[in-house]
Amino acid sequence: MEPMLSPADQPPPPVHVAIIMDGNGRWAKARGLPRTAGHKRGAEAVRRTVEAAREMGVSYLTLYAFSSENWKRPAGEVTDLMGLLRLYLRNEVNNLHKNGIRLKVIGDRSRLGADIVRLIEESEAKTAGNTALTLLLALSYGGRQEIVEAARALARDVAAGRLSPDAVDEDAIDARLSTAGIPDPDMIIRTSGEQRISNFLLWQGAYAELVFMDTLWPDFGRPELEAAIRDFQGRDRRFGTAR
């Protein structure tokens, strides 16, 4: 019988886990419920997953909550999603703060309601000093648009003489992304069986391990996160180098 590994012998968890939360609509449809019911259950999955990530020693958790393409959904569904976001920011931030979790929101805030932007700013300020886990919510977020905005910032700096064209390198781009100062994701999980990135962290995810799971997001929780991390820990990450 093999001896059990002590906690000190366990492989470390990934530093940064990113999740494409997919399947709320299919979860609701399978139960004959409106899509809003799936989104509400999805919010409960967010709570479970954040708690599990903190307990498992993950340092950064990024959740793809609302993409730039999601604005094209029916107006009623968008309104419901924004309502859920307001509830989350009002009701969950105290719990995040109590558990030492820092909240950071990435994405295009110009398309969000003024009251939501105010809630985001207040939540970020309240939790800014927390260190147990950084939770990044990607809202109105698109990876291509983020790279475009970084390119525009670089172009402005070059045009103003603040930066030499020869100084434009990967670090210069990194510094102008919404995730500046945050390590790239080690692992990107997508739920619901779909196997694509959908414009999520295109620059940052260049060497992320991809884990696709059949579980619909409302059913996701600690067991699924643990399974994904075990999968990650069993992989040989070579970052483009030879064995």
Side-chain angles (χ1 to χ4, degrees):
M1 182 176 177
E2 294 184 2
M4 291 183 63
L5 291 176
S6 69
D9 295 326
Q10 296 285 352
V15 172
H16 185 173
V17 174
I19 306 179
I20 301 171
M21 304 180 294
D22 194 15
N24 290 348
R26 272 169 282 176
W27 183 93
K29 184 178 180 180
R31 290 160 178 77
L33 299 171
R35 289 178 67 88
T36 52
H39 294 316
K40 288 177 182 176
R41 286 296 292 265
E44 295 173 14
V46 168
R47 188 180 301 114
R48 291 194 301 268
T49 303
V50 170
E51 180 179 349
R54 181 184 63 82
E55 292 174 351
M56 295 170 69
V58 173
S59 298
Y60 299 87
L61 176 67
T62 299
L63 301 178
Y64 202 7
F66 191 87
S67 76
S68 52
E69 289 78 19
N70 286 160
W71 290 109
K72 300 173 186 175
R73 292 189 176 188
E77 184 176 355
V78 171
T79 298
D80 289 338
L81 285 166
M82 291 298 113
L84 276 175
L85 175 58
R86 287 184 180 91
L87 282 174
Y88 184 84
L89 292 169
R90 287 174 181 146
N91 298 338
E92 288 298 316
V93 170
N94 285 337
N95 191 47
L96 295 177
H97 188 50
K98 181 179 69 175
N99 287 295
I101 297 170
R102 171 193 174 203
L103 178 67
K104 178 178 172 60
V105 173
I106 60 174
D108 180 9
R109 299 186 187 187
S110 69
R111 302 186 70 176
L112 299 172
D115 64 318
I116 291 178
V117 173
R118 185 174 62 253
L119 284 169
I120 288 170
E121 292 171 348
E122 292 171 353
S123 301
E124 288 181 327
K126 181 171 186 173
T127 62
N130 295 336
T131 58
L133 169 73
T134 295
L135 170 63
L136 292 94
L137 287 183
L139 297 172
S140 189
Y141 174 87
R144 286 183 173 181
Q145 186 60 30
E146 181 182 32
I147 295 169
V148 167
E149 292 298 332
R152 286 175 178 164
L154 285 166
R156 286 192 293 267
D157 287 343
V158 170
R162 293 187 294 267
L163 186 72
S164 163
D166 292 335
V168 176
D169 56 13
E170 291 188 13
D171 288 340
I173 295 173
D174 277 337
R176 289 161 177 81
L177 297 174
S178 59
T179 53
I182 292 168
D184 290 341
D186 301 291
M187 173 173 65
I188 296 176
I189 302 169
R190 182 166 188 150
T191 59
S192 86
E194 302 292 344
Q195 298 187 13
R196 57 183 178 273
I197 297 302
S198 295
N199 202 19
F200 181 51
L201 299 179
L202 297 181
W203 176 275
Q204 301 90 332
Y207 285 102
E209 296 294 320
L210 306 179
V211 177
F212 299 110
M213 309 185 78
D214 290 335
T215 305
L216 300 176
W217 177 249
D219 293 325
F220 194 92
R222 185 183 183 109
E224 290 74 24
L225 183 61
E226 288 178 338
I229 289 177
R230 283 196 302 271
D231 185 337
F232 168 85
Q233 290 169 333
R235 298 188 186 187
D236 178 17
R237 304 187 75 204
R238 300 192 302 278
F239 299 96
T241 62
R243 286 186 181 276

